[in-house]
Amino acid sequence: MNMDGSGRVMGNRLCLDFANLSYSPGDPRPHSGSWAELVDFMAEKRIVSGEKSEELRTLPESDPRAAETLLLQAERLGDAMSYAFTAIVRNQRVRREWVEPINEILRVTEGHDELEWHGDRWRLGFLAKEEGLEWLLAAIARSGAELIAEGAASRLQRCRNANCHLLFYDDSRTHRRRWCSMAHCGNRSKVAAFAKRRSAEKARAHHA
Ligand SMILES: [Zn+2]
């Protein structure tokens, strides 16, 4: 299904889960993430090991400047990707200024591709060279770059619930996935449609 163990909605792409971090359903305003949230995300997506994530958690105390710089870079990357993905969903052009923060991360991080087992299939993953702190964002930037390169042909979608702004990649066989997740928005929409039908029927019965 589209949910991971923590119950978080899955976008099916690392970059989409990252872009979705800055939105909470029902609240269309992006909020700036905290350091803890960023570390949690990296641990959850196995960008860092459990051990490494514990070490990173204390970085704001041990090296506040490094932590602040990385958090700002992460926010810039998240914002740029959100704008770019929104443009793709709307069939608009992706602007150079949104691509630049992604390229900046790609430029400073060296690495290589490696096949990784994802529970049900092999996926190509990016392993960055561990130098500086930017490498932590390398896989996210790489994933965003791939999606932007796919462009309009990609199966990038925004949840059809008007109050939900979550992005997902539709890799269903039928290509008709409409909701970020059935549990979050799909069922809610079905319930709303049912209630609407019921009240319409009642109104008709009343008039008859
Ligand atoms: Zn949704």
Side-chain angles (χ1 to χ4, degrees):
M1 278 311 288
N2 305 313
M3 308 282 273
D4 60 8
S6 70
R8 184 173 284 160
V9 180
M10 297 290 276
N12 262 341
R13 283 286 183 283
L14 180 61
C15 58
L16 294 177
D17 289 334
F18 186 71
N20 284 341
L21 264 190
S22 37
Y23 291 101
S24 40
D27 182 7
R29 290 163 304 162
H31 70 87
S32 43
S34 67
W35 179 256
E37 214 177 358
L38 180 62
V39 175
D40 283 346
F41 180 79
M42 291 189 292
E44 190 187 303
K45 296 296 173 188
R46 298 194 194 148
I47 294 170
V48 293
S49 64
E51 202 182 324
K52 181 77 189 174
S53 72
E54 288 315 308
E55 199 185 305
L56 279 171
R57 246 169 249 286
T58 60
L59 195 69
E61 288 108 68
S62 60
D63 192 346
R65 268 189 77 167
E68 201 184 319
T69 305
L70 189 75
L71 196 56
L72 279 174
Q73 270 177 317
E75 278 173 19
R76 219 162 93 78
L77 183 65
D79 287 349
M81 291 198 308
S82 293
Y83 284 124
F85 299 156
T86 300
I88 292 172
V89 169
R90 293 179 180 160
N91 252 325
Q92 292 165 347
R93 199 169 57 87
V94 173
R95 289 199 211 155
R96 189 172 292 273
E97 71 217 63
W98 303 330
V99 163
E100 193 45 42
I102 300 170
N103 278 345
E104 261 170 43
I105 303 291
L106 293 179
R107 225 171 272 141
V108 295
T109 48
E110 286 178 68
H112 65 275
D113 288 328
E114 216 169 82
L115 285 163
E116 291 168 340
W117 182 246
H118 276 254
D120 57 346
R121 65 180 132 161
W122 290 99
R123 277 191 180 163
L124 204 54
F126 177 71
L127 288 176
K129 225 164 116 179
E130 297 192 22
E131 267 173 30
L133 278 176
E134 289 96 347
W135 69 268
L136 292 166
L137 302 175
I140 299 166
R142 170 68 176 243
S143 161
E146 280 169 3
L147 195 55
I148 291 169
E150 270 186 55
S154 83
R155 300 203 194 128
L156 181 58
Q157 300 279 344
R158 192 180 290 283
C159 180
R160 298 294 165 85
N161 175 357
N163 295 319
C164 175
H165 292 256
L166 295 177
L167 295 159
F168 60 87
Y169 192 89
D170 181 8
D171 63 356
S172 68
R173 213 165 294 164
T174 53
H175 308 163
R176 284 158 84 182
R177 187 177 153 193
R178 300 172 68 200
W179 318 106
C180 62
S181 91
M182 208 55 209
H184 267 245
C185 292
N187 285 341
R188 208 170 293 168
S189 152
K190 276 189 177 164
V191 168
F194 178 73
K196 212 171 154 187
R197 262 199 319 275
R198 274 291 295 271
S199 65
E201 275 162 22
K202 262 192 200 163
R204 266 200 302 277
H206 189 75
H207 284 295

